[in-house]
Amino acid sequence: MPGRRLRLHVLRHNPQDPASVPRVETFELTESDGMTLFVALNEIRATLDPSLQFDFVCRAGICGSCGMLVDGRPRLACRTLTRDLGPDITLAPLPVFELIGDLSVNTGKWMRAMAERLETWVHAVDPVDCDRIEQRMDPDRAEQIYELDRCIECGCCVAGCGTARMRPDFVGAVGVNKIARFRLDPRDQRTDTDHYLLIGTDDGVFGCMTLLGCEDVCPKGLPLATQLAFIRRRMAVTALRGPASTS
Amino acid sequence: MRVVWTEVLVIGGGLAGLRTALGVARRGHAVTVLSLIPPKRSHSAAAQGGMQASLGNTLRGAGDNEDVHFEDTVRGSDWGADQQVVRMFVHTAPKAVRELAAWGVPWNRVRAGAHEVVINGARVTLEEPVAAQGLIAARDFGGTKKWRTAFVSDGTGHSMLYTVGDRAIAEGIEVQERVEALALIHDGSRCHGAIVRDLVTGELVAHVAVATCIATGGYGRLYQVTTNAVNSQGIGAAVALDTGVVALGNMEAVQFHPTAIVPAGILVTEGCRGDGGLLRDADGHRFMPDYEPEKKELASRDVVSRRMEEHMRCGKSVKTRHGDHLWLDITLLGPEHIRKRLREVYEICQSFLGIDPTKEWIPVRPAQHYSMGGIRTDPTGHSPHLRGLFACGEAACWDLHGFNRLGGNSVAETVVAGTIVGESIADWCEGEGGAGSVPMGLVREHWAQVKGELEGILGRSGGENATQLMEQMQRVMADHVCVFRSGPVLQLALDELQGLLKRSAQLGVRGTSPGANPELVDAYRVRRMLRLAICVVAGALARTESRGAHFREDFPRRDDRAWLRRTLAFWRGPDDTLPTLDYETLDVTRMELPPGWRGYGGKDHIEHPDTARRAAEVAAIRDGYSAADRHEIQEWLMPYRHLLPPRLRGRNERLDEPFGITS
C-alpha cells in the first residue's frame, strides 16, 4: 500500500547569503512506514534540495540537537513520527535562538552563556583525594538529582516560553531547573543567597509568568512547573529574610 | 588565510576531548577544543548503561579489584589488547569515577539491606551490606565476573558528559562549536595543528598548535545500520590517515551490539540484559543458554551478536517487512525497575516502536556499535609516527579493547584516557614539543591544499553525487563486512569500495550556496570515509583468523601462532586505492595473562608457541611469591606504573582494602 503524500512547508532563510529572504518552501514526499521527521528531512536533502539546513546528531531523543517548531509547537524532530501529523506539516526554526540557517539554530551559544551566568557546576572548596573511598550520598537524593539532571538543553522550553519572547536575558525553565538541580546537590556548597544573586530578578525566576508552556513542551517530561514554583518560593523567602539568609 | 595560534588543539568535544582539555588546562597550558556540534550533544551522551570501575561496593561486586577488571578486559579483547594499557586503565578507572562523583555525576548509590533483582530469569533477594550504604552502586554487564558497572539510571553518558562539559565551562575552556578539522599541518614527522572549516560560514582557518589531539570518536557511520550518532563518521581518524605517515590500528575490529531496535538501529542498553533481561526467538524460546551455558545473555558482545545471527540463520528469527529480528524481553524486570533504571529504553520503545516494554518484547538485532580500531598511539596517547599528534577515546587505538570491547569500558575509557593523555600532552608542551618552531610555508601549503580540494568539488556541478556514494558504501559494509565475514565476500567489498573511491575523485555539488553547504560537507566527508572503509576491509581480508568481533567463516579459529599481531594501516600516497598494511607483534613472553579460553565463546584456538612457557612462568611467580600482596605480584609479572603520570600511581582504597587513618 503506497504511503500518504506529505507536504512539508519549511520556513527557510540562509543568513550567510545576502540574497536570501525568509520564505516558506514546500517539499512533497511519500510517507514511509514508521517515518520520523529525521527520515523525512534527510530524504528531502538527498533527493529534493541539498542545501536544506537542519541539525540531527543522535536521532534517538537523547542529544537535544533537533528542536524545531512542528506545526507551531517546539518538539524534537527525531522523535516525531509523521503518522501522528496531518499530510500538511509546517516546520520552522525554534524562536529566541540565533538562526544559523533554515531549521538550524544556535542553541549551543545560548546554553553556554546560560551555564556561565548561572554557574551550572558543583561549587566545592575541598580538594578530593580520588584514591580514597568516595563521599557517601543518600540513594534517594542521587535519584532526585538525576530526575532534574536529565535535561538535554534542547531549547524547547525556551522556545515555548512567553517571558523569553519579551525578555532576551530570561534564563528560561532550563536555567531555573539547573539551579534546582544544584540546589539539591549536597556536594554544591552554594546557599540560597548565592542562588538569589543569580536568579532573584525578573530575568531570573521572578520573570516567569506561570504560563507553563515549558513543561507542556519538555520532551523529557521534566517537572519544570513544580521546580519554577518551588525555586520562586525559596527565592522570595530568601529576599524577605535579607541577604544574610543561607537556608 | 586566517591563522589562529593556540598551545594545545583538541579536536572533538565529547567526553575524551573535554577531559583531555581539562587536564591540559590544569597543568597551565592554553587549550582550544574544536567541536562539530555543541559539546553536550556529542555521542558520549548516548552511552546508556554505565562505566566500569572496580569499586567493589555492592554485594555482587565484593572482592572486585583491578586484577579482576584486568582479566575480564583482556579476555573480552580476545587477547588483542595491549595488556600494559589495560593495567593503566583498570588502575585509573576507580579514580576517574570518584573524580566524576566529586564533580557532580549523580551515580546511583548503594541502599543497604534487602532488594530484589533478576538473575538468570529468576527473582533473587540480595542483602547489601550496611558498610556500603551511600557508596557508588554497580550493575551487571556482559563478560564481567563482578557487578562492576557504575551507572546513572540508563543516562550514564548523558550525566557524565554534562558534568564534564560544565566542568570545562567552569574552568574557562574555550570551545569552538560547529567547526571541522579537514587536514593536519605536518612535515611528515611533526604535527603543527590543523586546517579547520567553519561549518556555519564556510571559512577555512589554519589552527597552529604545539600539540594536537584527536578525540573525534568512532567510524560507525561507515555502516548502513549503526547505533552511532550521525556524526560518528571517523573524520578525525581519516584526517590522521591522510597524512600518509600515521597508522590506524586494527581497523577491522568493529563491534556489533546485540540489541539495536529494528528497524531504526537505535541502541537499547546492555543494562537490559545486565539487569536480567532475556533474548528470545520467534517461538519465545530463550536460546542463549543453548549456545553459551556459562554466561548466557551476558557473554561478551561479539559472542552474543554472533550467536544471535547464527540462531537467525537457523530460521528462528521473527520475519517482518522491516527485516528479521529476535526479541529482547525485559518484562520480567517489572514496571518500577524499568521506569527508574531503564527509562531511556522505555522512552525509546514508546517513541520509535510505539510499544510498552514493561508489557511487550522489544524487536532487536545486532548492529554496528563501536570502533575498536583507530589512530595508533603509544600508552601515553602519543602517535609514534607523527610527534605532536595525540589521540584518545574511541578515535584512538592505544589499545585497550583489542578485538572486542566490554560494555561499560568505553565511557570509562574516555575519561581515563583523557586524564592520562592530558598529562602526557602537558609533558610534551613543557619538553620537546615546546622547543620547535612552525614553518609558515608549511601551514600555507596545507591550507591551500584543502582550499583546492573544496574548490574542486564546488566547481564540478555535474560530478558524482555524495549521497549516492555514501549510501553505496554503507550498504557494502553492512552486507559484506558484518558479523560473519569470509574471504571472497570481503574481496568483493574491497573491489566495490575501490571503485567508489575512484568515483569520489569526481565528486561535485548541485548547489553552491554560501555558508554551511551540507552537500559540500557530505562530499568531502565521503571521500575520507571511503578510505577508512577500505582500511577496515583490507585489514579484515588479510586477517585469516577469527578473533573477537572479527569472525571469518573460512578461518573460524583464533590463531595465536600467526595472528597475535596488531594491524597497522597506512595510506602512503594520495592516489593509492589501498592501504599499506604492516603488523606489530604482541609479545606473549611479556603478558601478565597469557592467551587461553575466554570463559565463553569458541574453545578451539591455535596456540602460540610461547604461551605454555609464559603460562608456566606466570604460575611460578604466583606460587613463589604467594606471601606477597597482589600489587607486588602484579609488579613482578608485568610492570606498568611507570607509564602512568606520577599523580595517578597511588593505590585505590576499597571497603576491603582500607587505607587506615593516616595514609
Side-chain angles (χ1 to χ4, degrees):
Chain A
M1 188 184 75
R4 290 189 298 173
R5 286 297 283 174
L6 300 177
R7 283 170 299 278
L8 274 69
H9 311 284
V10 182
L11 179 55
R12 303 200 59 185
H13 178 47
N14 180 5
Q16 300 294 325
D17 182 357
S20 171
V21 285
R23 67 212 179 270
V24 174
E25 284 183 12
T26 298
F27 301 99
E28 279 199 48
L29 69 165
T30 303
E31 187 172 39
S32 58
D33 202 34
M35 183 181 251
T36 59
L37 287 178
F38 165 72
V39 174
L41 285 168
N42 275 293
E43 190 177 316
I44 291 172
R45 185 143 93 187
T47 60
L48 299 171
D49 188 333
S51 69
L52 184 64
Q53 294 187 55
F54 48 76
D55 292 319
F56 290 98
V57 179
C58 75
R59 58 78 168 92
I62 288 166
C63 76
S65 298
C66 63
M68 61 181 70
L69 294 182
V70 180
D71 292 338
R73 187 185 173 92
R75 301 181 67 145
L76 294 183
C78 73
R79 246 171 44 170
T80 302
L81 293 160
T82 54
R83 68 168 178 248
D84 296 334
L85 305 170
D88 285 278
I89 301 166
T90 63
L91 300 178
L94 288 183
V96 183
F97 302 98
E98 176 186 292
L99 180 70
I100 289 173
D102 300 335
L103 300 170
S104 170
V105 294
N106 203 336
T107 49
K109 184 176 164 188
W110 196 98
M111 294 296 167
R112 171 128 187 172
M114 180 273 295
E116 285 172 349
R117 191 169 137 207
L118 302 185
E119 302 183 10
T120 58
W121 52 85
V122 163
H123 290 53
V125 282
D126 309 328
V128 172
D129 180 354
C130 295
D131 292 350
R132 308 209 66 143
I133 288 177
E134 63 277 9
Q135 286 281 315
R136 290 167 199 270
M137 185 188 276
D138 174 48
D140 292 325
R141 180 60 65 94
E143 286 180 8
Q144 287 159 8
I145 295 170
Y146 178 62
E147 180 66 22
L148 304 185
D149 202 47
R150 292 185 303 118
C151 170
I152 55 172
E153 298 187 2
C154 60
C156 285
C157 63
V158 176
C161 172
T163 304
R165 299 288 187 100
M166 299 187 300
R167 293 183 171 276
D169 293 327
F170 183 54
V171 299
V174 55
V176 175
N177 179 67
K178 299 269 175 191
I179 293 294
R181 179 247 177 269
F182 286 100
R183 201 180 165 281
L184 264 183
D185 198 322
R187 297 165 291 202
D188 193 333
Q189 293 168 9
R190 284 179 291 185
T191 64
D192 268 349
T193 305
D194 299 320
H195 301 137
Y196 183 80
L197 293 172
L198 295 171
I199 55 161
T201 65
D202 285 351
D203 280 334
V205 74
F206 297 127
C208 169
M209 301 183 290
T210 328
L211 300 175
L212 306 187
C214 53
E215 181 159 327
D216 288 348
V217 299
C218 176
K220 288 288 157 183
L222 291 169
L224 297 173
T226 316
Q227 296 308 317
L228 280 159
F230 177 71
I231 294 295
R232 184 163 45 207
R233 210 159 57 236
R234 292 304 316 168
M235 291 302 102
V237 169
T238 307
L240 291 171
R241 284 188 186 153
S245 159
T246 56
S247 89
Chain B
M1 176 179 77
R2 189 155 68 90
V3 181
V4 178
W5 301 79
T6 182
E7 199 175 1
V8 178
L9 189 65
V10 175
I11 302 170
L15 274 171
L18 291 172
R19 185 62 190 84
T20 303
L22 276 163
V24 168
R26 286 181 165 203
R27 285 274 297 266
H29 299 281
V31 57
T32 301
V33 178
L34 306 180
S35 181
L36 294 174
I37 50 174
K40 286 177 184 167
R41 313 236 184 272
S42 303
H43 189 51
S44 306
Q48 297 170 1
M51 158 171 178
Q52 282 206 46
S54 61
L55 301 178
N57 292 327
T58 61
L59 183 72
R60 286 281 176 147
D64 198 11
N65 58 37
E66 297 86 356
D67 298 351
V68 190
H69 192 185
F70 169 80
E71 293 210 357
D72 285 347
T73 303
V74 173
R75 289 175 196 279
S77 81
D78 220 352
W79 277 272
D82 179 322
Q83 296 196 5
Q84 282 184 313
V85 169
V86 178
R87 268 290 170 190
M88 293 166 70
F89 164 75
V90 298
H91 173 81
T92 310
K95 301 178 203 306
V97 79
R98 287 168 175 166
E99 180 177 71
L100 290 168
W103 287 356
V105 172
W107 296 114
N108 191 281
R109 300 289 174 144
V110 179
R111 208 180 292 271
H115 65 116
E116 240 189 20
V117 297
V118 176
I119 298 175
N120 194 19
R123 288 202 166 264
V124 179
T125 300
L126 299 180
E127 181 88 18
E128 296 296 341
V130 174
Q133 168 72 21
L135 297 180
I136 295 170
R139 61 165 35 132
D140 198 7
F141 249 49
T144 64
K145 286 208 178 66
K146 302 282 182 183
W147 291 23
R148 186 185 299 125
T149 306
F151 64 100
V152 183
S153 181
D154 59 351
T156 313
H158 165 85
S159 274
M160 289 171 68
L161 182 62
Y162 270 58
T163 299
V164 175
D166 281 333
R167 195 68 241 152
I169 295 172
E171 300 191 15
I173 307 272
E174 184 199 349
V175 181
Q176 295 192 13
E177 296 174 4
R178 296 177 187 266
V179 292
E180 175 166 28
L182 289 181
L184 294 177
I185 303 165
H186 71 99
D187 59 7
S189 61
R190 176 75 207 268
C191 181
H192 295 287
I195 305 298
V196 176
R197 181 172 181 268
D198 186 313
L199 289 166
V200 176
T201 65
E203 190 191 8
L204 212 53
V205 178
H207 283 258
V208 176
V210 175
T212 305
C213 179
I214 295 179
T216 48
Y219 43 88
R221 286 278 158 181
L222 299 183
Y223 285 82
Q224 192 174 31
V225 182
T226 169
T227 64
N228 283 191
V230 300
N231 59 357
S232 297
Q233 294 176 309
I235 302 303
V239 159
L241 183 71
D242 282 348
T243 60
V245 294
V246 176
L248 303 183
N250 283 347
M251 290 295 284
E252 66 271 30
V254 177
Q255 179 171 79
F256 299 86
H257 195 291
T259 59
I261 64 169
V262 176
I266 294 169
L267 174 74
V268 290
T269 174
E270 182 160 314
C272 291
R273 285 171 290 132
D275 290 0
L278 306 175
L279 291 169
R280 297 186 188 280
D281 63 16
D283 307 325
H285 172 64
R286 181 189 175 196
F287 59 90
M288 277 308 294
D290 305 342
Y291 295 97
E292 293 292 329
E294 291 89 1
K295 292 291 283 182
K296 306 175 182 75
E297 281 84 358
L298 288 173
S300 61
R301 287 176 180 172
D302 58 323
V303 170
V304 178
S305 288
R306 208 146 47 232
R307 297 306 195 187
M308 289 171 74
E309 292 286 341
E310 193 179 339
H311 200 61
M312 286 167 69
R313 284 179 172 189
C314 298
K316 293 296 183 182
S317 64
V318 183
K319 290 170 184 59
T320 73
R321 58 202 157 123
H322 302 302
D324 296 1
H325 67 77
L326 294 162
W327 298 111
L328 173 63
D329 172 12
I330 60 170
T331 60
L332 68 166
L333 306 185
E336 198 200 332
H337 182 95
I338 292 168
R339 292 211 183 97
K340 221 171 191 174
R341 298 276 172 89
L342 297 169
R343 54 195 304 170
E344 286 297 338
V345 171
Y346 184 78
E347 273 187 27
I348 286 166
C349 288
Q350 294 235 305
S351 306
F352 296 96
L353 297 167
I355 65 161
D356 178 355
T358 67
K359 299 192 181 95
E360 294 161 274
W361 296 346
I362 308 167
V364 295
R365 77 173 291 174
Q368 194 287 340
H369 181 62
Y370 189 81
S371 313
M372 274 78 72
I375 300 166
R376 178 71 185 131
T377 73
D378 68 16
T380 70
H382 208 159
S383 165
H385 308 102
L386 191 62
R387 305 310 284 167
L389 177 69
F390 297 77
C392 64
E394 193 175 349
C397 176
W398 58 329
D399 163 6
L400 172 62
H401 307 301
F403 277 77
N404 175 65
R405 172 178 70 76
L406 291 186
N409 266 355
S410 63
V411 273
E413 177 188 28
T414 62
V415 285
V416 166
T419 306
I420 293 168
V421 176
E423 298 284 340
S424 124
I425 291 172
D427 290 345
W428 162 259
C429 290
E430 289 159 21
E432 193 192 337
S437 62
V438 182
M440 286 311 293
L442 195 69
V443 177
R444 179 163 293 280
E445 187 189 312
H446 283 90
W447 183 87
Q449 203 170 359
V450 177
K451 184 90 179 154
E453 178 195 346
L454 302 191
E455 279 173 355
I457 297 171
L458 287 168
R460 272 189 296 271
S461 56
E464 291 282 355
N465 179 316
T467 312
Q468 284 172 11
L469 291 193
M470 187 90 79
E471 280 173 3
Q472 288 178 41
M473 170 191 70
Q474 289 170 332
R475 202 163 45 239
V476 168
M477 294 301 282
D479 291 349
H480 302 325
V481 199
C482 211
V483 174
F484 290 105
R485 302 168 174 184
S486 71
V489 178
L490 289 169
Q491 185 61 55
L492 189 75
L494 194 58
D495 296 344
E496 285 189 43
L497 292 172
Q498 283 180 285
L500 293 175
L501 183 67
K502 283 176 193 149
R503 284 171 59 191
S504 76
Q506 297 306 316
L507 276 163
V509 289
R510 287 164 285 174
T512 54
S513 62
N517 200 342
E519 195 184 10
L520 174 67
V521 174
D522 276 350
Y524 64 65
R525 285 186 187 168
V526 74
R527 256 171 108 165
R528 287 167 171 76
M529 292 168 77
L530 277 163
R531 287 184 174 180
L532 294 184
I534 290 172
C535 287
V536 173
V537 181
L541 184 60
R543 186 172 284 274
T544 48
E545 66 152 355
S546 293
R547 183 180 298 275
H550 169 71
F551 190 86
R552 286 282 299 259
E553 292 182 279
D554 41 357
F555 298 92
R557 293 204 289 172
R558 190 181 90 205
D559 184 354
D560 289 348
R561 193 172 52 203
W563 283 104
L564 212 48
R565 298 194 290 170
R566 183 174 298 119
T567 309
L568 299 180
F570 297 89
W571 207 277
R572 294 290 186 200
D575 299 324
D576 290 359
T577 59
L578 277 176
T580 306
L581 297 183
D582 196 0
Y583 293 93
E584 266 178 81
T585 300
L586 280 77
D587 187 354
V588 175
T589 64
R590 296 176 59 188
M591 286 182 183
E592 180 178 339
L593 185 64
W597 181 51
R598 304 166 83 187
Y600 43 79
K603 291 183 180 175
D604 55 344
H605 65 273
I606 300 167
E607 195 150 292
H608 189 279
D610 294 338
T611 298
R613 189 156 48 87
R614 178 59 182 165
E617 259 172 36
V618 168
I621 290 173
R622 287 194 189 282
D623 290 349
Y625 297 92
S626 56
D629 83 2
R630 64 181 185 88
H631 300 282
E632 290 168 323
I633 294 172
Q634 194 285 320
E635 191 74 17
W636 285 108
L637 291 171
M638 188 189 69
Y640 71 94
R641 270 171 213 259
H642 61 285
L643 295 168
L644 282 168
R647 69 171 192 85
L648 296 174
R649 290 179 191 168
R651 291 184 183 182
N652 297 306
E653 189 182 28
R654 292 183 182 79
L655 287 174
D656 62 354
E657 291 180 320
F659 275 4
I661 294 155
T662 53
S663 101

